[in-house]
């Protein structure tokens, strides 16, 4: 099963494309988290929140527990600016040295650029966001 870390924007339809691949970020989450901590920014995984829709998808994909659905806290939403602080710091650190994350450094950088595009739009529309995970 391949995991993907993707962006969820608050509301039904934010009015712009929020698609991000997120597979390389999911595969390299531990290394990306360590890099964020070295840079003194909040790791991406700390922006994770499970909402009912995300959990329903996980259960459909065989990666969740139906009983947990009853105990889910309300989703947490974060400001786009807070996410951009992390994403922009990671991009700056990887632009000249993507190999510090190994062979997938270029792909992680590419996905971070997608994250930045979506978070900038999210900020422009004054919306909030969180990360979700999908397994396929």
């Amino acid at each position: 099963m391949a995991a993907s870390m993707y962006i969820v924007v608050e509301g039904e339809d934010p009015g712009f494309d929020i698609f991000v691949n997120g597979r390389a970020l999911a595969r390299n989450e531990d290394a990306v988290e360590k890099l964020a901590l070295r840079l003194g920014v909040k790791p991406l995984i700390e922006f994770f929140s499970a909402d009912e829709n995300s959990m329903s998808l996980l259960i459909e994909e065989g990666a969740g527990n139906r009983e947990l659905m009853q105990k889910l806290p309300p989703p947490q939403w974060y400001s786009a600016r807070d996410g951009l602080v992390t994403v922009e710091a990671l991009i700056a650190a990887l632009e000249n040295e993507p190999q510090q994350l190994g062979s997938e450094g270029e792909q992680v950088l590419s996905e971070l650029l997608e994250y930045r595009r979506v978070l900038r739009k999210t900020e422009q529309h004054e919306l909030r966001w969180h990360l979700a995970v999908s397994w396929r």
Side-chain angles (χ1 to χ4, degrees):
M1 248 191 274
S4 176
M5 292 173 54
Y6 63 96
I7 292 176
V8 176
V9 176
E10 192 172 27
E12 290 297 312
D13 179 7
F16 56 93
D17 180 15
I18 63 168
F19 176 79
V20 294
N21 186 318
R23 287 195 175 133
L25 279 164
R27 283 191 304 272
N28 294 278
E29 193 280 319
D30 189 51
V32 173
E33 178 179 8
K34 287 176 183 171
L35 177 58
L37 291 171
R38 276 198 321 268
L39 296 170
V41 295
K42 186 176 184 174
L44 280 175
I45 197 64
E46 291 187 23
F47 293 103
F48 173 80
S49 182
D51 61 16
E52 197 170 315
N53 289 338
S54 301
M55 286 304 291
S56 293
L57 286 172
L58 287 177
I59 289 168
E60 286 175 22
E61 294 167 1
N65 181 338
R66 287 196 185 282
E67 292 177 22
L68 290 177
M69 290 286 288
Q70 314 307 323
K71 301 174 186 170
L72 270 183
Q76 300 295 306
W77 297 101
Y78 303 95
S79 80
R81 172 63 18 218
D82 289 346
L84 281 166
V85 167
T86 292
V87 168
E88 289 175 346
L90 291 168
I91 288 170
L94 292 172
E95 279 181 320
N96 294 322
E97 283 189 80
Q99 69 278 5
Q100 65 185 297
L101 290 184
S103 63
E104 288 195 292
E106 291 283 347
Q107 185 60 41
V108 169
L109 176 58
S110 175
E111 291 178 5
L112 287 167
L113 293 169
E114 291 177 23
Y115 272 46
R116 181 171 67 184
R117 174 188 52 80
V118 172
L119 289 174
R120 283 180 174 171
K121 287 279 194 181
T122 302
E123 183 177 44
Q124 289 169 359
H125 285 79
E126 299 179 355
L127 297 170
R128 298 181 302 168
W129 75 290
H130 65 241
L131 277 183
V133 178
S134 172
W135 285 270
R136 295 195 190 261

